[in-house]
């Protein structure tokens, strides 16, 4: 009988790279967060507001997008430690891509590293990048049903941010539905309601981040 060769699973190979990234970050004393959400939920805007507010905590960003350096350009106003990773057709960041990004940063001078993942609610949740904490965003215009529809993203998160809360009343957003859906799949992660545009609620997010650094 012909022997069938099986290539090691993509996820298993990714996990080995992720563990190496985490060891490298631990060695440098950098706390790393993986930010995941749909496109347009406000990841970049959130980081633009967060990085200056956290000073003197030194923050760097690895930002993933299929194309363009637009997000890195926006973030470069807040920190010089920004690297854009273009994935081409790739719909998520891999640990190997993050490893290449880490090569471009001076980790010794950073306290916090944010990885802004490619905007996508599905596969980023399955790829460990070597982060210490996972943050999932849901923006009000996306609709209150998304926690139940994309449970993998929200069940594995260490913190969940409901963003664009300035639109709750305008859009008739059902925040209670989000809370009851989260109660079924993730009771450990705090739900932080905020508007990066207006600044409302960002203090809780910044306090949560400072708690990770101490
Ligand atoms: Mg972005
Ligand atoms: Zn993908």
């Amino acid at each position: 009988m012909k022997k069938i060769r099986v290539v090691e699973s993509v996820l298993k190979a990714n996990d080995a790279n992720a563990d190496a990234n985490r060891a490298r970050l631990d060695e440098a004393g950098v706390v790393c967060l993986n930010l995941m959400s749909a496109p347009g939920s406000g990841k970049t805007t959130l980081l633009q507001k967060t990085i200056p507010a956290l000073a003197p905590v030194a923050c760097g960003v690895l930002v993933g997008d299929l194309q363009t350096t637009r997000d890195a350009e926006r973030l470069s106003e807040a920190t010089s430690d920004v690297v854009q990773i273009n994935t081409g057709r790739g719909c998520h960041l891999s640990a190997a891509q993050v490893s290449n990004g880490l090569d471009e940063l001076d980790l010794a001078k950073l306290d916090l590293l944010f990885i802004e993942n490619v905007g996508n609610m599905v596969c980023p949740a399955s790829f460990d990048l070597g982060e210490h904490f996972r943050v999932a965003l849901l923006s009000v215009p996306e609709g209150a049903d998304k926690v139940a529809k994309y449970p993998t993203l929200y069940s594995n998160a260490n913190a969940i941010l409901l963003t664009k809360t300035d639109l709750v009343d305008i859009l008739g957003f059902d925040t209670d539905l989000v809370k009851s859906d989260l109660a079924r799949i993730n009771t450990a992660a705090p739900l932080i309601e905020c508007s990066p545009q207006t600044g409302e609620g960002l203090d809780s997010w910044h306090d949560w981040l400072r708690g990770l650094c101490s």
Side-chain angles (χ1 to χ4, degrees):
M1 201 174 165
K2 198 174 174 204
K3 197 169 175 231
I4 307 294
R5 288 180 299 175
V6 179
V7 176
E8 191 183 48
S9 86
V10 172
L11 283 174
K12 200 171 163 193
N14 184 75
D15 282 349
N17 288 325
D19 287 342
N21 289 345
R22 199 155 21 242
R24 198 167 158 190
L25 291 159
D26 287 341
E27 176 80 15
V30 178
V31 175
C32 181
L33 299 102
N34 182 2
L35 271 62
M36 294 171 279
S37 74
S41 63
K43 295 183 294 300
T44 310
T45 303
L46 178 76
L47 292 176
Q48 284 179 285
K49 295 288 174 79
T50 295
I51 292 168
L54 286 181
V57 174
C59 300
V61 188
L62 295 180
V63 53
D65 279 298
L66 275 70
Q67 301 285 344
T68 81
T69 56
R70 288 183 184 180
D71 281 4
E73 286 161 28
R74 287 167 62 192
L75 290 162
S76 66
E77 309 265 315
T79 173
S80 55
D81 301 295
V82 183
V83 176
Q84 179 83 51
I85 301 170
N86 281 145
T87 58
R89 296 182 184 198
C91 48
H92 59 270
L93 286 174
S94 69
Q97 289 167 330
V98 167
S99 175
N100 292 336
L102 294 179
D103 291 344
E104 304 298 321
L105 291 170
D106 182 2
L107 294 179
K109 71 177 205 189
L110 296 181
D111 302 308
L112 272 185
L113 177 65
F114 296 100
I115 301 172
E116 185 188 326
N117 217 313
V118 175
N120 178 345
M121 298 177 94
V122 185
C123 37
S126 299
F127 285 81
D128 184 1
L129 301 181
E131 73 275 2
H132 300 101
F133 299 98
R134 290 174 300 281
V135 177
L137 283 71
L138 170 65
S139 69
V140 166
E142 291 168 58
D145 56 353
K146 297 303 178 291
V147 169
K149 287 185 175 177
Y150 299 89
T152 312
L153 176 61
Y154 297 100
S155 63
N156 291 326
N158 300 105
I160 296 156
L161 269 64
L162 179 65
T163 60
K164 308 192 187 183
T165 52
D166 49 306
L167 300 176
V168 163
D169 290 340
I170 295 168
L171 298 176
F173 185 83
D174 186 354
T175 306
D176 287 341
L177 180 62
V178 172
K179 289 178 179 170
S180 66
D181 284 342
L182 281 175
R184 275 192 287 277
I185 60 166
N186 187 342
T187 51
L191 174 67
I192 301 171
E193 299 172 46
C194 60
S195 168
Q197 281 292 339
T198 67
E200 172 195 348
L202 287 182
D203 284 349
S204 311
W205 159 242
H206 298 156
D207 287 345
W208 185 79
L209 288 170
R210 285 192 194 96
L212 306 180
C213 298
S214 52

